[in-house]
Amino acid sequence: MADAAPKLRLATWNVNSIRTRLPRVVDWLSRADVDVLAMQETKCSDGQFPTLPLFELGYEVAHVGFNQWNGVAIASRVGLEDVQIGFEGQPTWSSKPDVAATAEARALGATCAGIRVWSLYVPNGRALGDPHYTYKLEWLAALRDTASGWLRDDPAAQIALVGDWNIAPTDEDVWSPEFYAGATHVSAPERRAFNDIVDAQFADVVRPFAPGPGVYTYWDYTQLRFPKRQGMRIDFILASPALAGRVTDAQIIRDERKGKAPSDHAPVFVDIRRE
């Protein structure tokens, strides 16, 4: 018999442009009984974000976006409090020597029904040896240090670090380790950086319910990667100890990668027992 206990459903989805993907997001939310949705790669400014359709579904929305790049959001129908743009110590970035480095729109926190949710879009890294790769590792190290501090201050804190991590932590998280050899997302430093956050007591609470190999969250648009099942698992929900103990189920919704104009990522959700 299915668990009838009251639950909160927390999801994450790299939507790869909310304005392009809005009909799909609205359709999925109307069917999926999601209480909180963290979105990444919204690719719009705050003024361009389509808040009204989500509001009409009963969601409050927080968003940070500066231009057509990056962008993160949280939509919640169970409250949206203490919104924070960026985490303490978040590194800055500039792609041009003559432009001052600033914090990108890659991290947004809010408290939803007592859970501190962080929508995270980890830097891509681009290529081994690229300055953006160094930035990625520094970004992850800063997140680890800050998140560790949250748990030192309050070991019972209910925290969810969710989003597109741009890292496949194990070989089973890619369709071909040989294909990705020498590339980002699978390098030893990136995997160590991800595992450092896990070691800081933020558990991957999806994998126990959706084990691999062959279970992915991202498929490139090119080379028929999706129908060939040639994907990567790079979208994760990491939970603090107090929150991890409340997770009762998790799913990767692969079917949302199908159909007309999909994102190249699938949504991922966990069900959390309400207290």
Side-chain angles (χ1 to χ4, degrees):
M1 180 180 295
D3 185 359
K7 69 177 185 299
L8 181 148
R9 180 162 289 177
L10 167 63
T12 182
W13 196 357
N14 178 321
V15 295
N16 190 16
S17 177
I18 184 61
R19 290 176 291 173
T20 300
R21 236 60 69 183
L22 180 63
R24 298 203 52 138
V25 171
V26 168
D27 176 67
W28 186 65
L29 284 175
S30 68
R31 294 182 283 109
D33 196 27
V34 171
D35 295 298
V36 183
L37 173 62
M39 290 170 273
Q40 303 83 41
E41 214 170 352
T42 58
K43 293 185 176 180
C44 65
S45 67
D46 290 345
Q48 295 170 322
F49 190 93
T51 301
L52 183 58
L54 299 178
F55 177 78
E56 291 174 342
L57 287 178
Y59 293 89
E60 298 177 79
V61 177
H63 174 261
V64 57
F66 306 127
N67 46 42
Q68 73 272 29
W69 309 111
N70 310 319
V72 284
I74 299 172
S76 171
R77 64 183 188 185
V78 291
L80 192 69
E81 302 173 344
D82 301 324
V83 175
Q84 179 180 340
I85 296 172
F87 56 86
E88 298 87 349
Q90 180 177 327
T92 57
W93 168 257
S94 175
S95 60
K96 299 178 182 179
D98 57 339
V99 176
T102 58
E104 295 184 298
R106 293 185 176 275
L108 183 69
T111 301
C112 309
I115 299 171
R116 189 65 175 166
V117 178
W118 280 92
S119 181
L120 304 171
Y121 180 42
V122 174
N124 178 282
R126 299 179 182 170
L128 303 185
D130 191 288
H132 205 260
Y133 178 79
T134 301
Y135 166 58
K136 179 179 189 176
L137 296 178
E138 291 173 347
W139 202 96
L140 288 161
L143 175 62
R144 175 205 62 212
D145 291 346
T146 298
S148 296
W150 295 333
L151 289 184
R152 281 195 303 272
D153 293 342
D154 181 7
Q158 310 270 336
I159 304 170
L161 308 177
V162 313
D164 177 359
W165 294 76
N166 273 315
I167 298 171
T170 74
D171 281 350
E172 76 173 24
D173 296 327
V174 295
W175 68 271
S176 170
E178 292 76 21
F179 178 83
Y180 291 103
T184 60
H185 294 53
V186 300
S187 71
E190 290 168 287
R191 287 178 168 179
R192 280 196 299 270
F194 183 91
N195 287 324
D196 283 347
I197 295 174
V198 174
D199 290 343
Q201 300 187 71
F202 289 90
D204 176 355
V205 289
V206 176
R207 195 181 298 267
F209 298 94
V215 178
Y216 307 128
T217 65
Y218 163 85
W219 301 260
D220 193 276
Y221 288 126
T222 65
Q223 304 296 316
L224 298 176
R225 295 293 184 210
F226 182 70
K228 291 179 180 178
R229 297 183 177 270
Q230 295 176 346
M232 307 176 77
R233 187 198 291 241
I234 58 175
D235 302 84
F236 297 92
I237 297 174
L238 304 187
S240 62
L243 182 61
R246 295 169 55 196
V247 173
T248 61
D249 193 18
Q251 294 184 39
I252 298 167
I253 313 303
R254 186 180 185 275
D255 281 355
E256 290 304 314
R257 179 60 175 80
K258 300 177 181 178
K260 182 180 179 180
S263 170
D264 44 4
H265 294 250
V268 180
F269 75 71
V270 294
D271 286 338
I272 300 167
R273 184 182 65 252
R274 287 186 181 266
E275 293 187 326

